[in-house]
Amino acid sequence: MAYRVEHDSMGDIQVEDSRYWGSQTQRSLENFPIGGERFSDDFIRAYGCLKKACVLANAPSAVWKKEKLEALLAACDEVIAGKLKEHFPLVVWQTGSGTQTNMNLNEVIANRAAELLGGKKGQKELVHPNDDVNRSQSSNDTFPAAMHIAAVSMVRDRLLPAVELLASELEAKARIWARLIKVGRTHLQDAVPLSLGQEFSAYVAQLRQAARRIDLAAEELLELPIGGTAVGTGLNAPAGFDDAVCGELEKITGERYTSAPNKFALLAAHDGMAGLSGALSTLAAALMKIANDIRWLGSGPRCGIGELILPENEPGSSIMPGKVNPTQNEALTMVCAQVMGNHSTVAFACSQGNFELNVFKPVIIHNLLQSIRLLSDGMESFRLRCVAGIDVNREKLAEYLERTLMVVTALNPHIGYDKSAAIAKKAYTENITLKEAGISLGFLSSEEYDRWVVPERMV
């Protein structure tokens, strides 16, 4: 295996010659053999978009020749396209500012650009990772800017569409089942009737409300700290650099990014990330409710509630023949548990800014992007492999509706709460119908019961 020698302020270090990274990436690889969790392709792509925007914003004031500018842009484009993803090996568990990942980007772009210019990797006189690629920047403003770009992109491109697809599937079921009357349940006990469509309409409302919260939280992340450099003052960045970068990012990503009016806040704290993570946790709470309700309503097939018939996707037991389990619901609820746990980590990490810098940035963005990815994938799988194939056990709905005691509530306006309660208790203890109990107690006639207790009018 061939090696080359790279040099930085710490001295010389050997790097595999096939790798585009340089000395600082290599040092991080050797100093942080922790966990193995790497930054996602989505994050590296977002960072590549930012680096390209910075190159374009720097172009007017830099002394780059046309060929050098074109090589830098071409290298950035390869990063964005994922062509160089094997050259971003660093783990999340590194410096809390993300400095080494910023340098990983700088080194890969510099070395690839040097190659495109006809040189070799490590020829800093051709393209320098700090002086050229990191020009007018610091890890302290580029890393959080990339965090924002990655989060906004994944929310808009993956998460919100997945939420709407699932909500629309549930809404279609709600329309189809609008006239199917069933027993309601509160406190895990029988309650007054509603339609199955009304029950499912609650799920639709939950999801769309969660989507609105997420969209609003993502909107806050369109403000970027780029141009703040090390502590927010903008040292070494030319006037207008921040706005120029945001303008170029809009062309690259289609999102209207703006320069944050107070960059100190976005380097030292990540309240916007905490807000988005909280909105994701709220979505997870809604999905947990929906998935649990559906698997309870589909429990059985003979000894559970059994109102819904869930798709049978695979055998459910290695010992019990014929058993089929609500596995899509289980997968989605595990996703929700992970997202809630991720939010606890993000919220704590966001609280840990000291003075001018929060140094928990890598774990914040790692957990946030994992949550978005898991929720997006989990909802899509749940939609396709569970919700789309749900059917109704109409016989069970009718059976429960006939047996429930809580339709007695319809008698309250006619005979009062106390007499209605007496009817319910007598029917339950003597295992007779409400109608029989009411007539036996002399509180109403058969005709009055039939006129007053009509489940279809209770919904």
Side-chain angles (χ1 to χ4, degrees):
M1 187 179 295
Y3 290 87
R4 67 179 187 276
V5 176
E6 289 260 0
H7 181 83
D8 59 18
S9 61
M10 303 292 291
D12 292 341
I13 190 168
Q14 284 192 328
V15 179
E16 285 183 37
D17 199 41
S18 62
R19 303 302 185 181
Y20 282 110
W21 66 71
S23 56
Q24 292 198 44
T25 304
Q26 187 64 37
R27 292 189 196 284
S28 183
L29 267 177
E30 295 175 7
N31 287 328
F32 298 98
I34 303 171
E37 293 88 355
R38 298 182 180 184
F39 291 102
S40 68
D41 293 345
D42 300 286
F43 183 65
I44 298 301
R45 179 184 179 279
Y47 224 137
C49 291
L50 177 64
K51 288 296 177 180
K52 181 177 182 178
C54 289
V55 168
L56 290 165
N58 275 316
S61 61
V63 291
W64 298 325
K65 293 182 179 178
K66 179 184 176 183
E67 293 79 10
K68 185 171 183 175
L69 174 61
E70 289 175 348
L72 284 166
L73 293 174
C76 289
D77 284 337
E78 290 187 13
V79 171
I80 295 167
K83 294 180 179 178
L84 303 175
K85 62 182 180 180
E86 69 271 22
H87 301 282
F88 297 100
L90 299 189
V91 296
V92 171
W93 320 108
Q94 52 163 283
T95 176
S97 61
T99 298
Q100 288 134 12
T101 289
N102 180 46
M103 284 307 303
N104 190 183
L105 269 289
N106 294 333
E107 290 173 345
V108 168
I109 292 168
N111 281 330
R112 179 59 182 142
E115 258 191 358
L116 292 171
L117 288 169
K120 295 181 179 179
K121 304 180 189 75
Q123 280 192 278
K124 293 182 180 179
E125 64 275 14
L126 276 179
V127 186
H128 199 285
N130 299 84
D131 297 338
D132 291 317
V133 186
N134 201 59
R135 184 185 177 95
S136 311
Q137 303 153 61
S138 164
S139 302
N140 295 353
D141 66 343
T142 60
F143 197 93
M147 289 166 67
H148 285 214
I149 295 164
V152 169
S153 173
M154 287 191 69
V155 163
R156 298 276 174 86
D157 296 344
R158 293 184 62 178
L159 183 66
L160 292 180
V163 175
E164 181 51 35
L165 284 170
L166 178 55
S168 296
E169 192 75 57
L170 289 163
E171 189 173 43
K173 298 292 186 184
R175 284 197 299 268
I176 294 168
W177 299 332
R179 296 182 179 276
L180 285 180
I181 311 303
K182 57 160 286 178
V183 171
R185 295 179 178 87
T186 60
H187 302 269
L188 298 181
Q189 305 295 307
D190 300 348
V192 295
L194 77 167
S195 76
L196 185 57
Q198 288 171 325
E199 192 166 46
F200 268 62
S201 75
Y203 308 149
V204 178
Q206 277 187 280
L207 290 177
R208 288 187 172 145
Q209 286 168 359
R212 285 193 290 272
R213 293 186 191 100
I214 291 167
D215 194 38
L216 285 172
E219 192 75 21
E220 289 187 27
L221 300 182
L222 293 175
E223 282 192 355
L224 300 182
I226 194 68
T229 63
V231 297
T233 61
L235 179 67
N236 291 352
F241 175 74
D242 51 357
D243 290 329
V245 171
C246 291
E248 295 297 342
L249 274 171
E250 184 174 353
K251 298 174 190 174
I252 295 167
T253 66
E255 296 288 351
R256 187 167 292 180
Y257 290 101
T258 60
S259 172
N262 190 307
K263 297 177 178 60
F264 304 102
L266 296 192
L267 271 61
H270 294 298
D271 298 343
M273 288 282 163
L276 177 56
S277 182
L280 297 177
S281 187
T282 301
L283 172 60
L287 290 168
M288 182 74 81
K289 162 74 162 66
I290 294 164
N292 275 335
D293 274 9
I294 289 174
R295 66 172 164 177
W296 272 111
L297 292 172
S299 60
R302 291 188 174 178
C303 300
I305 294 175
E307 292 181 353
L308 299 181
I309 302 169
L310 306 187
E312 298 184 349
N313 296 326
E314 68 276 309
S317 174
S318 60
I319 189 172
M320 293 175 278
K323 195 173 193 298
V324 179
N325 297 326
T327 51
Q328 287 297 316
N329 306 62
E330 292 164 5
L332 184 59
T333 52
M334 284 192 288
V335 162
C336 294
Q338 182 66 44
V339 170
M340 292 173 185
N342 281 352
H343 175 56
S344 294
T345 299
V346 170
F348 179 80
C350 288
S351 76
Q352 294 302 298
N354 297 126
F355 307 115
E356 280 65 61
L357 192 66
N358 177 294
V359 291
F360 283 68
K361 299 183 196 303
V363 73
I364 291 170
I365 192 59
H366 172 69
N367 279 26
L368 191 77
L369 295 186
Q370 185 191 60
S371 291
I372 295 172
R373 188 167 55 253
L374 286 174
L375 286 168
S376 302
D377 293 349
M379 284 187 291
E380 185 64 359
S381 185
F382 185 64
R383 177 181 74 86
L384 291 171
R385 297 172 182 86
C386 180
V387 177
I390 294 175
D391 202 356
V392 182
N393 187 335
R394 295 168 187 260
E395 292 76 18
K396 275 289 183 185
L397 291 186
E399 176 191 341
Y400 291 148
L401 191 61
E402 184 178 343
R403 290 170 53 195
T404 183
L405 299 174
M406 288 304 102
V407 293
V408 76
T409 307
L411 297 177
N412 287 1
H414 305 285
I415 64 173
Y417 182 94
D418 290 338
K419 289 182 177 178
S420 299
I423 290 174
K425 288 181 179 179
K426 184 176 180 65
Y428 178 66
T429 56
E430 297 182 15
N431 196 26
I432 59 177
T433 67
L434 290 170
K435 184 176 181 179
E436 290 168 339
I439 294 170
S440 173
L441 290 168
F443 293 158
L444 46 71
S445 67
S446 175
E447 293 76 15
E448 286 173 326
Y449 183 90
D450 291 340
R451 187 166 67 251
W452 295 336
V453 182
V454 182
E456 289 77 10
R457 290 209 300 261
M458 296 182 189
V459 302

